[in-house]
Amino acid sequence: MKRQERWERLKLIVIKGADEGKQFDLSDTLVGVGRDAVNQIRLHDTEISRRHAEFYRCPQGYRLRDIGSANGTYVNNQPITDVLLNSGDQIQIGQSLLVYTGSRNDNGTGSDLADRISLITRQDVELSSAIVKTIGETEGSRILARPEKVERPWLKTALANLGIMYETIQATSHILDLNQLLEKIMELIFRSLEADRGCIMLRNPDSGQFQPKAVRWRSGPPLPEEKFPVSRTIMEYVLREKQGILVSDAAQDDRFKTQQSIVRFGIREVICVPMKGRHDTLGVLYLDTHTVPREFLHSVGDIDATHTGAPDEPVIGKFTEDHLALAIAIAHQAALAVEETRYRDALVQSERLAAIGQTVAALSHHIKNILQGLITGGEILKVGLTEKDFPTLEQGWRIVEKNQGKIYDLVMDMLSYSKEREPAIKDTDVNRIVQEVVELMQRRAQSKNIRLETRLGELPICQIDREGIHRALLNVVSNAFDAVEERTNPHVAIGTLLEADNEWVRILVLDNGVGIPAETLPEIFKPFLSTKGSRGTGLGLAVSRKILREHGGDILVKSNVGKGSHFILRFPVRSPLAADVMGTVTHQILPTEE
């Protein structure tokens, strides 16, 4: 029974994809995963095969096996055919990302962590008499942030280095710009190491050449003609041997007797460590101390004379083994941050390209339909001109004119949706806007036998972008007309009202159309999602919501399938954007529904 309980603790959690948030328990011997309903784990991801992979139990836990899927199965970013899973492994199937979590059985002999803990009670030990010293829970962050305030020498020295690592980790987790991050890391290094100069050299992923990404002088910004000489010999040694080095007397080290690069530039001490990430070495961290060439050559001569009888006597310098250990720890943390930044940039670029591809595909669909309408209208016009048939000419022109309107609507919607803008706020009569929209739609209502009704409440003058609200309302009313066209007694009503607090206005658009299914409601404001086929651009509602949210408001929706829909355009009487003119505005939380 105990063994079975352990199997039931194993589960899969979907952290990305169409089924994000779902959890699946693993308890059966064989568990299939795929798009088809026959799988115990069914994922609604179009890039997943009908039967994509399967989890099967073995003495060590669960293994994952790809069963000839079209797009492959990946564990921790590596393609697999059959692999043993460990708790915490990330599984990518199509565009879905799952985490495998739980304890392994360890051939039936292991036990859960909970089984290895034995809680003792107050009968086992008298706690109050054993406490020697207490410390507050917030002291950890305070000590790490200000290690110089600690009085005990041993702890002060240890915390100084630990504090730098703590700040390095904080920087890598908060600074997203790579150049700013590396500059911050150089600043932290110079607070702990008495280097005169330092730089971070990263390998260019494309060319393979090393390029400086952060450079620092202790004496401050150098003169324009001053250069930082970095020893290529030392760099190549570090990269070849895969180890960081501390050179305490560069000119006397047999491995680096390169007079031109060491003596001529006055390099006395060097710390050079590889920046090793998770898998690859991305670059090096290079630090040195130096003197001016004449002083350095003089000191070299003194050292030669002094060390004649004791050539192995060390030269006292600023760098120590502790500094070398600290440098390689910081370099590793910096390398991880560089990897993370590059991964994030690649992901953003990939998502941007995917979004562009989706946009182009959606636009191509709408433009194709419009072009087809223009071609059809043009052909009818040609026939009418040839036969001098005026009714045919009128028919062709109506088709061309209609599709010209579609082109205009598509372009305007694209501009409205893509452009970041602040509304042009002016004092406006909202009821007048509603009347103008009704006048525009009146002809269409008559041609389709749609009963168009208005009920206007008493409203104050509102601070809004007149053109924006007009366009948003026109989009919503046009959608309502499309929804009722196939109904027996089509009816659309438009109304306005002032909320009880006198601070919010509502424009109501009601129709007795086919309604919107509950599962579709969250999707209707997404761009290029149209339920009207070739009649819609897929941007109307997305643009309308964007306009309302620019005003500090929103669009709310209620709908019943077979009965109709109720759209509410809600915005404040006094615009938050006019606060500098009108005084302080109280920001309110918008309710999602009444």
Side-chain angles (χ1 to χ4, degrees), residues 31-48:
V31 179
V33 57
R35 194 158 40 89
D36 203 65
V38 299
N39 297 283
Q40 294 96 319
I41 299 176
R42 184 187 183 189
L43 299 176
H44 300 81
D45 186 330
T46 55
E47 295 190 19
I48 293 177

Side-chain angles (χ1 to χ4, degrees), residues 22-166:
K22 287 187 179 179
Q23 299 186 19
F24 302 94
D25 290 327
L26 291 176
S27 56
D28 294 343
T29 303
L30 184 67
V31 179
V33 57
R35 194 158 40 89
D36 203 65
V38 299
N39 297 283
Q40 294 96 319
I41 299 176
R42 184 187 183 189
L43 299 176
H44 300 81
D45 186 330
T46 55
E47 295 190 19
I48 293 177
S49 300
R50 293 184 181 278
R51 186 165 177 82
H52 195 104
E54 57 189 17
F55 299 86
Y56 64 96
R57 197 164 63 193
C58 66
Q60 294 80 26
Y62 270 91
R63 298 185 71 89
L64 174 61
R65 176 166 55 210
D66 184 272
I67 49 178
S69 64
N71 294 322
T73 303
Y74 296 80
V75 174
N76 299 327
N77 296 322
Q78 298 298 318
I80 63 98
T81 53
D82 192 316
V83 68
L84 177 66
L85 295 173
N86 295 305
S87 182
D89 281 348
Q90 293 192 4
I91 303 164
Q92 183 169 351
I93 303 177
Q95 291 298 313
S96 299
L97 192 62
L98 301 85
V99 173
Y100 172 82
T101 180
S103 56
R104 285 170 53 179
N105 190 274
D106 296 329
N107 293 315
T109 60
S111 62
D112 295 324
L113 288 176
D115 298 333
R116 301 182 184 183
I117 304 298
S118 175
L119 293 176
I120 58 176
T121 64
R122 61 176 298 177
Q123 285 78 19
D124 298 299
V125 61
E126 186 59 40
L127 183 62
S128 59
S129 62
I131 294 176
V132 177
K133 179 71 175 177
T134 63
I135 189 167
E137 64 177 9
T138 61
E139 285 297 287
S141 59
R142 189 189 66 81
I143 290 174
L144 286 173
R146 302 293 299 276
E148 70 278 3
K149 297 295 184 180
V150 176
E151 296 179 358
R152 293 183 296 281
W154 176 86
L155 183 58
K156 188 172 186 176
T157 302
L159 283 174
N161 290 342
L162 184 59
I164 295 297
M165 285 305 302
Y166 173 76

Side-chain angles (χ1 to χ4, degrees), residues 206-394:
D206 298 323
S207 67
Q209 300 297 314
F210 283 88
Q211 300 171 337
K213 291 296 182 181
V215 181
R216 192 177 184 88
W217 277 261
R218 181 169 295 279
S219 57
L223 297 173
E225 64 273 10
E226 186 175 353
K227 304 294 183 183
F228 181 176
V230 174
S231 172
R232 184 181 296 275
T233 306
I234 291 177
M235 271 185 56
E236 290 176 350
Y237 180 90
V238 166
L239 294 169
R240 182 177 66 252
E241 300 297 326
K242 300 183 184 300
Q243 56 185 213
I245 61 171
L246 162 60
V247 182
S248 60
D249 189 11
Q252 298 301 311
D253 195 311
D254 291 338
R255 294 167 297 180
F256 312 117
K257 282 186 177 179
T258 53
Q259 298 298 315
Q260 290 185 354
S261 63
I262 299 294
V263 176
R264 180 154 56 92
F265 293 108
I267 300 174
R268 180 180 293 276
E269 298 173 285
V270 175
I271 282 180
C272 186
V273 294
M275 292 176 61
K276 178 70 167 64
R278 293 176 180 84
H279 306 292
D280 301 320
T281 300
L282 306 181
V284 296
L285 168 62
Y286 185 98
L287 307 165
D288 76 4
T289 63
H290 75 290
T291 56
V292 297
R294 182 175 298 177
E295 293 175 354
F296 187 74
L297 287 171
H298 179 71
S299 66
V300 170
D302 291 343
I303 292 170
D304 288 340
T306 308
H307 288 200
T308 305
D312 296 330
E313 183 180 343
V315 178
I316 298 175
K318 296 179 180 179
F319 293 160
T320 68
E321 292 182 13
D322 289 342
H323 293 145
L324 178 64
L326 178 62
I328 201 162
I330 293 176
H332 173 62
Q333 194 66 38
L336 295 178
V338 171
E339 282 184 335
E340 185 67 24
T341 300
R342 287 177 175 173
Y343 171 75
R344 183 177 61 250
D345 290 345
L347 185 62
V348 168
Q349 179 68 7
S350 175
E351 290 177 346
R352 185 180 292 117
L353 290 174
I356 291 173
Q358 292 173 356
T359 302
V360 169
L363 280 175
S364 299
H365 171 73
H366 293 299
I367 293 171
K368 180 190 69 176
N369 290 330
I370 293 171
L371 288 175
Q372 186 59 52
L374 288 171
I375 290 170
T376 301
E379 290 175 348
I380 295 174
L381 280 173
K382 188 184 296 183
V383 172
L385 287 171
T386 302
E387 300 179 358
K388 297 183 179 180
D389 185 346
F390 287 101
T392 303
L393 281 171
E394 289 180 1

Side-chain angles (χ1 to χ4, degrees), residues 145-208:
R146 302 293 299 276
E148 70 278 3
K149 297 295 184 180
V150 176
E151 296 179 358
R152 293 183 296 281
W154 176 86
L155 183 58
K156 188 172 186 176
T157 302
L159 283 174
N161 290 342
L162 184 59
I164 295 297
M165 285 305 302
Y166 173 76
E167 288 191 62
T168 303
I169 293 171
Q170 289 290 98
T172 56
S173 63
H174 288 86
I175 302 176
L176 300 180
D177 182 82
L178 181 59
N179 293 328
Q180 292 180 12
L181 171 64
L182 296 180
E183 288 289 347
K184 179 64 176 179
I185 288 174
M186 289 301 301
E187 176 191 331
L188 295 174
I189 289 172
F190 269 60
R191 280 165 46 184
S192 287
L193 283 77
E194 293 187 51
D196 293 327
R197 301 174 297 200
C199 72
I200 291 175
M201 305 279 288
L202 292 186
R203 191 194 306 269
N204 187 301
D206 298 323
S207 67

